[in-house]
Structures are given as structure tokens and as C-alpha cells.
Amino acid sequence: MLIPPPASHATPPAVSVLAFDGMSPFELGCVVEIFGIARPELEVPWYRLSVCAETPADLRVTGGFTMRTEHGLDALEAASTVIVPGVANVHGEVSPEVVTALRRAHDRGARVVSICSGAFALAAAGLLNGRRATTHWKYAELLQHRFPRVEVDPDVLYVDGEDVLTSAGSAAGLDLLIHLVRKDYGPGVANEVARRLVIPPHREGGQAQFIQAAVPHVEDGAAVTAAMAWALEHLAEPITIATLAEAAHMSPRTFIRHFGRQTGTSPLRWVISQRVAASLTMLESTSVPVEDIASAVGFDSTATFRHHFTRTMRTSPSAYRRAFRAPAWSDHTKPHGSERRTREQGSATEPWRETNP
């Protein structure tokens, strides 16, 4: 049974991250930065972080220095959130001791998280069998080959499987870690932490998880960009190929061709994804009815909004709202800032992601 974060947050959630010989300091540093630094200004009991290792010996860290931890694998087994920030060798075997510790933590109810190549450790422990998961794009094919029972998705920044979560390359780990804060303390606190780190609380301004294709240089690229900017300012209005083409000062056929070359998708698919992204903040931070949100972001009906939202986010607008509305706060644990939000009961029924519609 999954151990949820404390409803009242009277006791700080315990987080443990695994350090190992030959590790990169970046992923570990991300975990320490988010979970290990006291944040009294947020007026919530912050996390208790322990850095643990398989042995008490000095660990060599990429960059030419060493580190030593005070905690062993027993700390990993006892935490409510366990984070594996990578493995030393994606072609090698994970030690039986680490595999056992991960299994025990998960069996006890901890949520287990990987960053980048850390997915190989979770897969070795059998925690990804029959699950959708991700890792750095350059390791995705290898992960699938070594662990065929895992459904590897190389196109997302992270996958939230509730009790097991995986993220893509190193920087995507930050996306996932901020996501964990959002799940535990609500969007207000998560946004404040993101601001302190000078990173967006949601990639692309929302919950967007698909990785956009690199944009090649194309003729009239500025015109296409201008049309996209115009669309973002008029999402609530009817938007057609003709109106976008007019904003770009092109014929519809020419606009479609240039837009596809520059973005890798069609204009209307892009508009739909932006409308879904625009709805997320309203679902997270207001009690506005779904019907009104659908209209506010430009969908012609609630049914159309639900269809595209579910296709994009892999959950319904109502389930997303239940999962990501801020928790209820007591007088002494209110969120940072003047707005106080109330979290609705329930949770999303399945993992979500954002993809091209």
C-alpha cells in the first residue's frame, strides 16, 4: 500500500537519495537543492533528506572529488520517498544489496523515483515490470532491450506511476522533483520553489511533457512565430487556418507548409495543445466549472475540451483537478502568499502526460 505524504504535514516527509561511486554531482545536487535546504519562509514543515550509500567508503564523484555519506541502505529502506539519481554503468548489474533495499522500500509503501539512468536500477529491482517508464533518450533503446517487460517511453520528461516515478535526462529530473513538491504541498509551494531555482514550475508554462522537435531554420520563420504569438493572445476566440495564415501574411497552403517544417506538427494540433495547457492553471488554482474553463480557453464545447484534454494529459479535467489542487492548509501551515486554496478529495485515476494531440 502506497504511503501518501502526511495530510496535515505535521511531520516532514522523509526523503532518501542513493549516492554511488562514479556518480555525477548534478542529479544529486538537484535532489539536495530541492529537498535538503530548509525553507522556513514557506511556512510548511519541509522534507527531511538523507543521502545514503551502499558502503561507508569514500565515493568518487565525476569532476575529480570524493564524498562520504553518514547513512547506509537502511535509511533508504525507511524513507517515504526514495530517489535513485543514476547508475554507475547502464550496461552493468545493480548490486543485490541495492536491489533488495529498493524492493523493501517499495513493498513497505515508499514511492520510488529515478532520474535519468536511475531507471536501470528500478528495472533491475523489478519495479518497472508491466509499467510505462522513461529514461534519457540515449538510453531508452538499451533499457527496453535489457528489460523487455518495461514499456519504455522515450518522448516524455517524466512518468508519474504514483508509487514509481521515472524521469528522462538530468535536467528533466528537476521537472519531476518539482512535480513531487506539487503533489505533496500543492502548486503554490511548488511554484515558489521553482521561482527560487529560477526554473519554470511547468515546462512550457503548463504540465507539458512532450519534448518538442528541434526547430530548423526555415524561410519566413519569423512570420510563423508571429502567427503563433497572435494565437496565444486569442485562444478564447475561434482560430482557423485562415486566421493564422492571415496573421502570418501567407496563403493558407504556404502557412501550413512552413508551420509544419518549423514545429513538426500541424497548426490546429498546436492550437489544441496550447488550449489544454492554458486550462491547467485554472484547474489547479480555481473552482471555476469545467464548462466555463472549456469556453475560456477556446473550445467550442465541454465535450470537445474533455476529449482533447484526456487525449493530451491521459486523465480527465476533473481527475486532474482533484490531483493537483492545493492541499487544505491549517492556520499555521498556510501556503506562501495571500491566496489559500482547498484541495478536493481524490486523485487521478491513471498516470498522465502531455503529447501532441
Side-chain angles (χ1 to χ4, degrees):
M1 181 178 180
L2 178 64
I3 297 176
S8 65
H9 295 288
T11 302
V15 177
S16 185
V17 59
L18 178 66
F20 54 92
D21 193 57
M23 71 182 305
S24 166
F26 180 80
E27 292 85 351
L28 177 64
C30 290
V31 176
V32 173
E33 179 72 24
I34 290 180
F35 299 114
I37 295 179
R39 302 183 185 277
E41 71 280 3
L42 297 180
E43 300 181 16
V44 297
W46 204 239
Y47 300 87
R48 292 179 293 113
L49 176 68
S50 61
V51 179
C52 66
E54 188 175 349
T55 68
D58 287 347
L59 303 175
R60 294 168 297 177
V61 181
T62 300
F65 62 96
T66 62
M67 62 169 287
R68 178 175 295 192
T69 69
E70 298 179 358
H71 304 283
L73 294 181
D74 54 339
L76 184 146
E77 295 180 22
S80 58
T81 296
V82 173
I83 302 175
V84 183
V87 294
N89 182 2
V90 294
H91 298 279
E93 299 299 323
V94 179
S95 75
E97 291 77 14
V98 169
V99 166
T100 297
L102 291 174
R103 288 174 178 170
R104 286 178 177 171
H106 182 259
D107 290 345
R108 186 183 46 77
R111 63 182 177 191
V112 184
V113 180
S114 69
I115 299 174
C116 196
S117 65
F120 285 81
L122 272 57
L127 304 185
L128 300 182
N129 289 344
R131 292 177 179 263
R132 179 169 153 266
T134 194
T135 187
H136 193 291
W137 59 265
K138 71 177 182 179
Y139 300 140
E141 186 175 349
L142 177 62
L143 181 65
Q144 188 69 82
H145 175 73
R146 291 193 58 192
F147 303 97
R149 296 178 61 187
V150 180
E151 181 188 343
V152 179
D153 188 341
D155 298 323
V156 295
L157 297 181
Y158 59 88
V159 174
D160 181 349
E162 295 295 338
D163 57 332
V164 179
L165 303 91
T166 55
S167 70
S170 301
L174 279 171
D175 293 282
L176 179 52
L177 299 180
I178 290 293
H179 175 66
L180 293 178
V181 175
R182 187 184 307 112
K183 288 168 71 74
D184 292 348
Y185 287 104
V189 171
N191 291 350
E192 184 64 25
V193 174
R195 281 193 290 270
R196 301 296 173 88
L197 296 175
V198 198
I199 60 174
H202 310 298
R203 194 72 67 97
E204 299 298 325
Q207 294 298 320
Q209 290 190 34
F210 76 98
I211 301 174
Q212 297 185 3
V215 178
H217 173 74
V218 294
E219 185 180 358
D220 294 323
V224 170
T225 301
M228 296 168 76
W230 176 88
L232 291 175
E233 294 178 358
H234 298 82
L235 284 178
E237 305 171 15
I239 297 177
T240 65
I241 295 294
T243 57
L244 289 170
E246 182 179 357
H249 304 290
M250 296 179 180
S251 70
R253 178 176 296 181
T254 300
F255 177 75
I256 291 172
R257 183 173 67 253
H258 284 297
F259 192 97
R261 289 172 57 190
Q262 185 166 341
T263 68
T265 188
S266 72
L268 295 185
R269 285 181 181 272
W270 178 82
V271 169
I272 289 170
S273 71
Q274 298 307 305
R275 284 174 165 159
V276 170
S279 73
L280 300 178
T281 299
M282 298 180 71
L283 289 169
E284 291 177 2
S285 60
T286 76
S287 58
V288 173
V290 170
E291 294 77 9
D292 294 342
I293 293 177
S295 176
V297 298
F299 287 102
D300 57 8
S301 71
T302 305
T304 301
F305 172 52
R306 292 183 190 278
H307 168 77
H308 288 297
F309 190 98
T310 301
R311 184 177 179 181
T312 299
M313 304 299 290
R314 301 298 177 89
T315 190
S316 69
S318 296
Y320 179 89
R321 169 173 270 170
R322 287 194 297 270
F324 293 103
R325 283 292 297 275
W329 298 89
S330 65
D331 289 340
H332 64 281
T333 57
K334 61 182 181 297
H336 186 74
S338 59
E339 183 178 5
R340 188 175 300 177
R341 304 184 179 95
T342 301
R343 182 175 184 176
E344 298 176 2
Q345 297 299 314
S347 61
T349 56
E350 59 179 326
W352 55 265
R353 64 170 177 162
E354 177 165 341
T355 61
N356 271 320

